[in-house]
Amino acid sequence: MTSITATRLATILGPWRSQSPAYAALADRIRLVALDGRLAHGTRMPAERDLAAALGLSRTTVAAAYARLRDAGSLESRRGSGSFVSLGTRPAAVAAVDGIALDFTKAAMPAAGPVAACFAAAAGLIGPELSRSGYEITGHPALRGAVAAHFARRGVPTDPEQILVTSGAQHAIALLTRVLATPGDRALIEQPTYPHAIDALQAAKARPVPVPVDVEGGWDLAEAEAAMRDATPSLGYVMPDFQNPTGASLSEDERGRLARAADRHGTVLIADETTMWLDLRRGPRRPLAAYSPAVVTVGGLGKLAWGGLRVGWIRASRSLVARLAQSRTSMDLGTPVFEQLVAVELLARERELVAERRTRLADGLAAMREGLAEQFPQWTVPDPDGGLALWLDCSPWSSSELVLGAREEGLALTAGPRFGLNGAFEGRLRLPFTDSPESIRAAVGALRRAADRHASGPLAEPLVAV
Ligand SMILES: Cc1ncc(COP(=O)(O)O)c(C=O)c1O
């Protein structure tokens, strides 16, 4: 069972006050952080008096907030042992979209056109596999070869033995953090970053060292170099292309600079290339792995083809692939062979898939930008070169306020702080443009109505400026 201290909870909650009475605003914020995964189901909450002290509130206010959460089924109190976060019997991701018509919490797209044909082609190839065991811990030789060739085409010669096929890129990140970090190790992480990378580092008990990334300015490389020198993180997690959520990319020069700093200080960089295919107009850049043999690369077909395929990979040294394979056996014994054969077919149609995704994302981005310009003329809306989402400065509203209001309008969103550490990014909202233009227009309309619910006055507390 996990417990959370009052001070830690206060940090996660961030500036939580709104125009609602304090007990209601506090309860709403606790529910939001539970729904978006910052506070896990089953966590034991701090005692009322401790939380009251940490937040500078009366105990009665906290007791009323807890009572409200209990009434809503979000908190369970057990005599003698405390109060526990409850999302019912369903996982947070499901609870988060209950009764929701528009789910914008995931930046995911339906299967690309060629996916069905690739399944059919793989069905024609499965015959000979059926007379074998059907599972290989490191992956099917055909897919390992196809992924190695994909790296070679991009200027990084790769032996198939350097590839480990995984069940999606998230599996790859979790496996790598588990093998590369020992509890207490420091890990460089972008701020903001992909939330499940934070989860993986937390599961590995690594201590995150944040490095700022901005929509316009990209990475603060001087800060990254200083962090590597001073904190000597054993690993770092970066998304060099169309970073999720900012859409920023590292230039060629910056790739070299980052890789050199990592080599100097013994930091193993994990380059997550899941979003590298989502280029609207930037043009190809060399993989981070081209700049240092120590870089470990994660990739996958979730964004290019279909998340439902659950195929990803790791490119690493042969010895690290062997260590990863050994560690994997406690989790699973390999990725299903059929999906790997589908992946081989898909990689052969890379160009076609990239073109299809580009059209879809360009249409989604245009619909999102038009809708926002019309409904929120006061916002400066970014125009990223690619990626999945807009990372918006949503002031004067707080992100959590908008997210809670949007739920009432049938739109599920993830609040800015889910992408950062310690409650940062309450002034930012991630809006994926992966959906159809119609859904995007509907979502922007719902967001406007959510904002109108809070239009009556300024926030009770300043936004966290990051
Ligand atoms: C940056 C990044 N890495 C990894 C993943 C997970 O990919 P997969 O579905 O292959 O596990 C995602 C999915 O959103 C992502 O955005």
Side-chain angles (χ1 to χ4, degrees):
M1 181 221 311
T2 348
S3 303
I4 186 159
T5 63
T7 30
R8 175 84 195 119
L9 181 58
T11 307
I12 291 178
L13 294 177
W16 52 270
R17 285 183 191 268
S18 69
Q19 281 120 26
S20 310
Y23 80 93
L26 177 60
D28 284 353
R29 181 59 63 88
I30 292 172
R31 184 166 156 70
L32 177 71
V33 296
L35 283 172
D36 74 15
R38 279 176 280 162
L39 189 59
H41 171 83
T43 303
R44 182 162 69 192
M45 293 287 278
E48 290 167 4
R49 112 181 68 75
D50 295 344
L51 188 57
L55 296 175
L57 294 170
S58 73
R59 184 172 169 182
T60 332
T61 306
V62 176
Y66 278 19
R68 185 177 164 100
L69 287 165
R70 255 191 308 276
D71 289 347
S74 304
L75 201 66
E76 241 177 57
S77 294
R78 294 175 212 147
R79 196 179 290 277
S81 51
S83 295
F84 300 82
V85 176
S86 169
L87 291 165
T89 48
R90 288 148 304 171
V94 177
V97 294
D98 253 0
I100 289 288
L102 295 162
D103 179 10
F104 277 51
T105 56
K106 282 199 201 85
M109 289 175 274
V115 172
C118 291
F119 268 95
L125 298 171
I126 196 73
E129 303 299 332
L130 301 178
S131 59
R132 305 190 185 117
S133 76
Y135 58 93
E136 285 290 347
I137 192 89
T138 47
H140 190 286
L143 182 54
R144 295 177 84 193
V147 174
H150 148 82
F151 279 105
R153 277 197 300 279
R154 297 168 60 224
V156 196
T158 302
D159 188 295
E161 303 263 303
Q162 287 177 262
I163 303 298
L164 178 85
V165 175
T166 61
S167 299
Q170 180 58 26
H171 178 206
I173 298 166
L175 194 55
L176 279 166
T177 48
R178 187 165 95 162
V179 168
L180 293 176
T182 36
D185 273 7
R186 293 207 172 82
L188 195 82
I189 190 154
E190 294 154 336
Q191 169 92 326
T193 188
Y194 170 57
H196 296 307
I198 303 179
D199 298 344
L201 287 174
Q202 276 170 350
K205 300 201 165 24
R207 284 182 293 163
V209 178
V211 169
V213 183
D214 181 65
V215 173
E216 295 295 331
W219 284 252
D220 186 336
L221 280 187
E223 174 103 15
E225 285 165 335
M228 284 193 253
R229 188 193 56 227
D230 300 341
T232 55
S234 59
L235 76 159
Y237 169 85
V238 291
M239 289 165 271
D241 301 281
F242 316 115
Q243 202 252 10
N244 184 2
T246 61
S249 294
L250 283 165
S251 70
E252 300 275 2
D253 282 354
E254 289 172 329
R255 285 168 205 237
R257 198 171 147 193
L258 190 67
R260 279 193 300 277
D263 283 348
R264 249 192 331 271
H265 302 292
T267 302
V268 176
L269 288 179
I270 301 172
D272 182 351
E273 294 191 335
T274 311
T275 49
M276 70 158 235
W277 325 86
L278 311 177
D279 185 0
L280 293 173
R281 57 175 165 246
R282 195 206 63 188
R285 289 191 187 155
R286 291 208 302 156
L288 195 60
Y291 295 86
S292 161
V295 169
V296 177
T297 309
V298 166
L301 292 173
K303 304 298 174 197
L304 178 67
W306 191 36
L309 196 65
R310 310 305 315 142
V311 171
W313 52 78
I314 296 169
R315 177 194 182 275
S317 64
R318 285 195 193 86
S319 60
L320 181 54
V321 166
R323 274 171 67 204
L324 292 163
Q326 199 172 27
S327 168
R328 177 183 190 164
T329 55
S330 68
M331 258 188 246
D332 73 344
L333 298 176
T335 298
V337 65
F338 185 68
E339 280 73 1
Q340 294 189 64
L341 295 180
V342 177
V344 173
E345 300 295 315
L346 285 164
L347 280 172
R349 297 174 73 163
E350 178 188 345
R351 267 168 195 265
E352 196 186 333
L353 288 163
V354 167
E356 184 184 324
R357 286 319 200 199
R358 180 176 299 146
T359 305
R360 183 183 175 97
L361 290 168
D363 290 349
L365 176 59
M368 182 72 87
R369 284 176 48 80
E370 270 165 39
L372 291 172
E374 204 177 289
Q375 303 283 356
F376 294 90
Q378 71 272 52
W379 281 354
T380 305
V381 180
D383 193 11
D385 287 340
L388 300 153
L390 292 182
W391 182 240
L392 272 172
D393 178 343
C394 62
S395 53
W397 292 273
S398 84
S399 189
S400 298
E401 227 173 21
L402 286 175
V403 169
L404 284 169
R407 290 184 65 79
E408 305 289 314
E409 301 293 339
L411 167 66
L413 289 169
T414 309
R418 180 69 175 103
F419 299 86
L421 298 164
N422 303 328
F425 302 123
E426 194 49 88
R428 296 280 176 161
L429 189 61
R430 184 187 79 152
L431 290 178
F433 49 81
T434 41
D435 236 301
S436 65
E438 301 74 62
S439 299
I440 288 173
R441 279 191 281 274
V444 175
L447 190 64
R448 180 66 249 180
R449 292 192 296 281
D452 289 340
R453 288 167 180 270
H454 294 281
S456 52
L459 287 172
E461 287 186 31
L463 299 175
V464 177
V466 178

